[in-house]
């Protein structure tokens, strides 16, 4: 079941609308990319302009709700003292999804999320995602806690799982659209009953066309070249050091180097870090150390950040397959509409109830 999902990270007001496309096989999101520079102060006192990509998804969605979903489904159970959830994953980047549509308060606290995400003493996941009531006129809101309890702005694999979760909860069939507010902006999935995904581009205000690529960042005594982008959440993409641009990602000790990037003083909100190997201009391989989650098997926003950074560094074409430890994602940064498309799976793993 291949699902592609969108990254939406409008720079500015949430007034723009974006659409995502979901089908039983493929969700395609279209996201215009604009560049904006952030000023970061490096330890050496040298400020670098660090581009932050803003992406706002705009396409439409087709979902085939599960045939057997019924009104008395498991998800309708409401015993007090328990949280009912559905475990989903997108390429092994796995999440506990909670129906939180009846309250604006997450039913699971950040501390409880840490416990639930524990792979030995809990359910086990990279994060907890809530389908919550909409705000400012949107149908739903997505909130997410990482497995360390921190709350990121956005999650690419997670939004694909959430869209499928909502379709099941609402028993969607036929043409249908709904809006999801996220910490990085709006996604408006539109279900097409003809199975087509139409793309409604979102117009983001032009940003300063400044961007700095392959900047030097000293980490752990080595001078890395990094391109930093925002998908609503922060990403630091590296293809290697000033000494060697031929990174062999499988040889990296991510548990050692990952936290040194994540907690580097130039990243006041911490960062997700993608380490990338280029097989060809259309085939990249990455490993990711996620902010607040550590090494994960996949990172949707990270894969998008990697392709945009690779294009800017002249290393890749605009359509690439990105191999992650959990599997491949197809990413396209469209020259035509400046959108980024991401295609990959989102799967239900199991249903469960947990006492809190
Ligand atoms: N840990 C990330 C959020 C999840 C992003 C990733 N799982 C994705 O699929 O985009 C952060 O703190 O920004």
């Amino acid at each position: 079941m291949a699902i592609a999902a969108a990254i939406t990270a409008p720079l500015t007001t949430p007034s723009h609308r974006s659409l995502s496309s979901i089908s039983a096989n493929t969700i395609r999101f279209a996201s215009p990319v604009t560049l904006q520079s952030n000023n970061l102060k490096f330890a050496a006192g040298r400020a670098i302009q660090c581009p932050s990509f803003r992406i706002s998804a705009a396409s439409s969605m087709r979902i085939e709700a599960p045939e057997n979903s019924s009104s008395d489904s498991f998800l309708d159970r409401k015993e007090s003292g328990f949280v009912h959830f559905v475990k989903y994953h997108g390429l092994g980047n796995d999440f506990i999804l909670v129906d939180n549509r009846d309250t604006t308060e997450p039913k699971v606290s950040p501390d409880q999320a840490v416990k639930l995400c524990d792979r030995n003493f809990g359910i086990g996941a990279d994060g907890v995602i809530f389908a919550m009531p909409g705000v400012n006129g949107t149908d739903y809101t997505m909130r997410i806690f990482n497995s360390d309890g921190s709350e990121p702005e956005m999650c690419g694999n997670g939004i694909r799982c959430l869209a499928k979760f909502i379709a099941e909860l609402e028993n969607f069939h036929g043409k249908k659209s709904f809006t999801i507010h996220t910490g990085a902006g709006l996604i408006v999935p539109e279900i097409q009953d003809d199975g087509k995904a139409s793309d409604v581009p979102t117009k983001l205000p032009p940003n300063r066309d400044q961007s700095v690529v392959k900047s030097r960042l000293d980490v752990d005594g080595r001078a890395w070249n990094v391109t930093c982008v925002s998908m609503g959440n922060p990403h630091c993409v590296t293809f290697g050091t000033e000494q060697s641009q031929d990174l062999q990602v499988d040889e990296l000790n991510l548990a050692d180097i990952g936290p040194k990037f994540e907690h580097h003083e130039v990243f006041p909100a911490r960062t997700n870090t993608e380490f990338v190997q280029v097989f060809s201009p259309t085939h990249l391989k990455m490993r990711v150390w996620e902010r607040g989650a550590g090494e994960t098997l996949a990172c949707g926003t990270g894969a998008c950040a990697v392709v945009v950074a690779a294009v800017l560094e002249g290393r890749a074409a605009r359509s690439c397959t990105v191999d992650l430890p959990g599997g491949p994602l197809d990413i396209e940064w469209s020259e035509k509409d400046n959108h980024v498309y991401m295609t990959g799976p989102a799967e239900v793993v199991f249903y469960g109830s947990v006492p809190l």
Side-chain angles (χ1 to χ4, degrees):
M1 174 83 64
I3 301 277
I7 305 300
T8 297
L11 283 176
T12 54
T13 61
S15 56
H16 77 284
R17 296 174 72 82
S18 55
L19 288 175
S20 53
S21 62
I22 280 192
S23 73
N25 298 318
T26 304
I27 300 178
R28 291 192 83 205
F29 283 71
S31 322
V33 180
T34 52
L35 304 185
Q36 187 173 38
S37 63
N38 284 338
N39 278 312
L40 287 176
K41 284 255 174 287
F42 272 110
R46 179 168 60 89
I48 66 156
Q49 297 286 330
C50 199
S52 57
F53 287 93
R54 304 295 193 203
I55 286 186
S56 172
S59 66
S60 58
M61 167 188 286
R62 178 172 70 90
I63 290 179
E64 285 171 6
E67 287 312 314
N68 58 359
S69 55
S70 66
S71 60
D72 59 355
S73 75
F74 166 86
L75 292 171
D76 291 334
R77 293 169 50 182
K78 302 281 182 225
E79 293 99 315
S80 65
F82 281 83
V83 166
H84 302 304
F85 66 88
V86 185
K87 183 79 190 298
Y88 275 85
H89 80 87
L91 289 181
N93 191 198
D94 56 346
F95 303 97
I96 298 160
L97 275 97
V98 175
D99 179 5
N100 217 105
R101 292 171 297 165
D102 55 349
T103 168
T104 54
E105 268 313 299
K107 292 179 178 175
V108 172
S109 71
D111 289 346
Q112 290 170 331
V114 173
K115 294 188 177 78
L116 294 181
C117 290
D118 186 295
R119 296 192 184 280
N120 297 105
F121 300 101
I123 301 162
D126 291 327
V128 182
I129 293 179
F130 305 92
M132 304 182 81
V135 293
N136 303 330
T138 65
D139 298 314
Y140 306 98
T141 293
M142 174 177 89
R143 286 184 65 181
I144 168 176
F145 294 151
N146 283 316
S147 55
D148 75 345
S150 61
E151 181 167 4
E153 306 82 353
M154 177 58 189
C155 177
N157 287 320
I159 199 85
R160 291 204 308 274
C161 297
L162 176 65
K164 278 195 65 177
F165 183 49
I166 289 172
E168 181 173 0
L169 289 171
E170 304 285 11
N171 208 4
F172 280 161
H173 293 288
K175 192 172 177 63
K176 177 79 188 156
S177 70
F178 52 88
T179 54
I180 304 179
H181 171 74
T182 74
L186 288 185
I187 290 187
V188 183
E190 186 181 56
I191 301 173
Q192 299 283 338
D193 48 12
D194 64 0
K196 285 201 175 55
S198 65
D199 181 2
V200 178
T202 300
K203 297 269 172 279
L204 281 173
N207 292 282
R208 273 176 302 146
D209 186 14
Q210 284 181 3
S211 64
V212 173
V213 176
K214 279 178 85 170
S215 296
R216 174 176 169 153
L217 177 62
D218 293 325
V219 181
D220 202 28
R222 299 176 69 190
W224 295 80
N225 288 145
V226 301
T227 294
C228 303
V229 297
S230 165
M231 297 290 165
N233 55 351
H235 292 272
C236 173
V237 180
T238 183
F239 297 86
T241 64
E242 293 195 340
Q243 287 71 36
S244 162
Q245 289 287 298
D246 181 22
L247 206 53
Q248 301 300 309
V249 294
D250 289 341
E251 292 170 11
L252 290 169
N253 178 351
L254 249 54
D256 174 54
I257 192 71
K260 292 170 182 164
F261 274 89
E262 176 184 2
H263 298 279
H264 198 290
E265 63 175 351
V266 300
F267 299 117
R270 299 188 287 161
T271 188
N272 301 285
T273 306
E274 288 78 22
F275 301 86
V276 191
Q277 192 167 334
V278 180
F279 290 144
S280 80
T282 56
H283 188 191
L284 308 176
K285 177 176 181 176
M286 68 175 263
R287 287 174 68 195
V288 60
W289 181 267
E290 281 200 31
R291 175 182 64 170
E295 179 167 16
T296 60
L297 293 179
C299 180
T301 51
C304 289
V306 159
V307 170
V308 177
V311 170
L312 282 174
E313 293 199 18
R315 299 173 184 273
R318 286 172 166 267
S319 284
C320 292
T321 295
V322 180
D323 289 351
L324 299 107
L329 282 173
D330 292 326
I331 309 288
E332 178 201 357
W333 179 11
S334 163
E335 197 139 29
K336 181 171 66 67
D337 58 15
N338 197 29
H339 288 174
V340 176
Y341 295 85
M342 174 169 65
T343 304
E347 306 289 345
V348 175
V349 183
F350 59 84
Y351 295 75
S353 305
V354 60
L356 280 181

